[in-house]
PDB file of all heavy atoms in Angstrom:
ATOM      1  N   LYS B 243     -67.449 -37.934-242.625  1.00  0.00           N
ATOM      2  CA  LYS B 243     -68.470 -36.981-242.172  1.00  0.00           C
ATOM      3  C   LYS B 243     -67.833 -35.901-241.321  1.00  0.00           C
ATOM      4  O   LYS B 243     -66.776 -36.107-240.736  1.00  0.00           O
ATOM      5  CB  LYS B 243     -69.531 -37.711-241.354  1.00  0.00           C
ATOM      6  CG  LYS B 243     -70.427 -38.593-242.193  1.00  0.00           C
ATOM      7  CD  LYS B 243     -71.622 -39.076-241.374  1.00  0.00           C
ATOM      8  CE  LYS B 243     -72.395 -40.128-242.128  1.00  0.00           C
ATOM      9  NZ  LYS B 243     -71.644 -41.412-242.224  1.00  0.00           N
ATOM     10  N   GLU B 244     -68.528 -34.761-241.236  1.00  0.00           N
ATOM     11  CA  GLU B 244     -68.026 -33.662-240.412  1.00  0.00           C
ATOM     12  C   GLU B 244     -67.801 -34.174-238.991  1.00  0.00           C
ATOM     13  O   GLU B 244     -68.743 -34.622-238.335  1.00  0.00           O
ATOM     14  CB  GLU B 244     -69.060 -32.530-240.420  1.00  0.00           C
ATOM     15  CG  GLU B 244     -68.575 -31.265-239.766  1.00  0.00           C
ATOM     16  CD  GLU B 244     -69.634 -30.153-239.792  1.00  0.00           C
ATOM     17  OE1 GLU B 244     -69.872 -29.598-240.877  1.00  0.00           O
ATOM     18  OE2 GLU B 244     -70.221 -29.889-238.738  1.00  0.00           O
ATOM     19  N   PRO B 245     -66.578 -34.120-238.501  1.00  0.00           N
ATOM     20  CA  PRO B 245     -66.309 -34.706-237.176  1.00  0.00           C
ATOM     21  C   PRO B 245     -66.797 -33.794-236.050  1.00  0.00           C
ATOM     22  O   PRO B 245     -66.886 -32.577-236.237  1.00  0.00           O
ATOM     23  CB  PRO B 245     -64.781 -34.815-237.154  1.00  0.00           C
ATOM     24  CG  PRO B 245     -64.308 -33.748-238.079  1.00  0.00           C
ATOM     25  CD  PRO B 245     -65.367 -33.582-239.130  1.00  0.00           C
ATOM     26  N   PRO B 246     -67.144 -34.381-234.884  1.00  0.00           N
ATOM     27  CA  PRO B 246     -67.522 -33.541-233.741  1.00  0.00           C
ATOM     28  C   PRO B 246     -66.320 -32.730-233.263  1.00  0.00           C
ATOM     29  O   PRO B 246     -65.196 -33.228-233.266  1.00  0.00           O
ATOM     30  CB  PRO B 246     -67.953 -34.555-232.677  1.00  0.00           C
ATOM     31  CG  PRO B 246     -67.319 -35.839-233.070  1.00  0.00           C
ATOM     32  CD  PRO B 246     -67.139 -35.808-234.558  1.00  0.00           C
ATOM     33  N   THR B 247     -66.568 -31.480-232.878  1.00  0.00           N
ATOM     34  CA  THR B 247     -65.469 -30.628-232.397  1.00  0.00           C
ATOM     35  C   THR B 247     -65.831 -30.086-231.017  1.00  0.00           C
ATOM     36  O   THR B 247     -67.010 -29.869-230.717  1.00  0.00           O
ATOM     37  CB  THR B 247     -65.203 -29.466-233.372  1.00  0.00           C
ATOM     38  OG1 THR B 247     -66.394 -28.699-233.513  1.00  0.00           O
ATOM     39  CG2 THR B 247     -64.793 -29.996-234.739  1.00  0.00           C
ATOM     40  N   ALA B 248     -64.812 -29.876-230.186  1.00  0.00           N
ATOM     41  CA  ALA B 248     -65.021 -29.639-228.753  1.00  0.00           C
ATOM     42  C   ALA B 248     -65.915 -28.432-228.461  1.00  0.00           C
ATOM     43  O   ALA B 248     -66.888 -28.540-227.718  1.00  0.00           O
ATOM     44  CB  ALA B 248     -63.673 -29.473-228.058  1.00  0.00           C
ATOM     45  N   TRP B 249     -65.607 -27.292-229.043  1.00  0.00           N
ATOM     46  CA  TRP B 249     -66.404 -26.106-228.706  1.00  0.00           C
ATOM     47  C   TRP B 249     -67.781 -26.160-229.336  1.00  0.00           C
ATOM     48  O   TRP B 249     -68.756 -25.650-228.775  1.00  0.00           O
ATOM     49  CB  TRP B 249     -65.660 -24.825-229.087  1.00  0.00           C
ATOM     50  CG  TRP B 249     -64.656 -24.472-228.036  1.00  0.00           C
ATOM     51  CD1 TRP B 249     -63.313 -24.642-228.080  1.00  0.00           C
ATOM     52  CD2 TRP B 249     -64.955 -23.930-226.737  1.00  0.00           C
ATOM     53  NE1 TRP B 249     -62.745 -24.239-226.895  1.00  0.00           N
ATOM     54  CE2 TRP B 249     -63.716 -23.791-226.059  1.00  0.00           C
ATOM     55  CE3 TRP B 249     -66.128 -23.546-226.086  1.00  0.00           C
ATOM     56  CZ2 TRP B 249     -63.642 -23.290-224.762  1.00  0.00           C
ATOM     57  CZ3 TRP B 249     -66.048 -23.042-224.795  1.00  0.00           C
ATOM     58  CH2 TRP B 249     -64.811 -22.927-224.136  1.00  0.00           C
ATOM     59  N   ASN B 250     -67.877 -26.778-230.492  1.00  0.00           N
ATOM     60  CA  ASN B 250     -69.186 -26.931-231.113  1.00  0.00           C
ATOM     61  C   ASN B 250     -70.084 -27.819-230.259  1.00  0.00           C
ATOM     62  O   ASN B 250     -71.280 -27.557-230.103  1.00  0.00           O
ATOM     63  CB  ASN B 250     -69.023 -27.482-232.527  1.00  0.00           C
ATOM     64  CG  ASN B 250     -70.351 -27.620-233.250  1.00  0.00           C
ATOM     65  OD1 ASN B 250     -70.798 -28.720-233.541  1.00  0.00           O
ATOM     66  ND2 ASN B 250     -71.005 -26.499-233.525  1.00  0.00           N
ATOM     67  N   LEU B 251     -69.518 -28.860-229.649  1.00  0.00           N
ATOM     68  CA  LEU B 251     -70.301 -29.717-228.759  1.00  0.00           C
ATOM     69  C   LEU B 251     -70.743 -28.946-227.519  1.00  0.00           C
ATOM     70  O   LEU B 251     -71.844 -29.142-226.998  1.00  0.00           O
ATOM     71  CB  LEU B 251     -69.469 -30.934-228.317  1.00  0.00           C
ATOM     72  CG  LEU B 251     -69.158 -31.993-229.383  1.00  0.00           C
ATOM     73  CD1 LEU B 251     -68.145 -33.000-228.827  1.00  0.00           C
ATOM     74  CD2 LEU B 251     -70.422 -32.704-229.834  1.00  0.00           C
ATOM     75  N   GLN B 252     -69.876 -28.047-227.062  1.00  0.00           N
ATOM     76  CA  GLN B 252     -70.167 -27.312-225.832  1.00  0.00           C
ATOM     77  C   GLN B 252     -71.303 -26.300-226.052  1.00  0.00           C
ATOM     78  O   GLN B 252     -72.187 -26.173-225.227  1.00  0.00           O
ATOM     79  CB  GLN B 252     -68.894 -26.606-225.350  1.00  0.00           C
ATOM     80  CG  GLN B 252     -68.899 -26.227-223.880  1.00  0.00           C
ATOM     81  CD  GLN B 252     -69.608 -24.924-223.622  1.00  0.00           C
ATOM     82  OE1 GLN B 252     -69.571 -24.018-224.439  1.00  0.00           O
ATOM     83  NE2 GLN B 252     -70.287 -24.832-222.488  1.00  0.00           N
TER      84      GLN B 252
END
Side-chain angles (χ1 to χ4, degrees):
Chain B
K243 288 191 189 71
E244 188 180 287
T247 58
W249 279 103
N250 182 247
L251 290 171
Q252 201 277 326

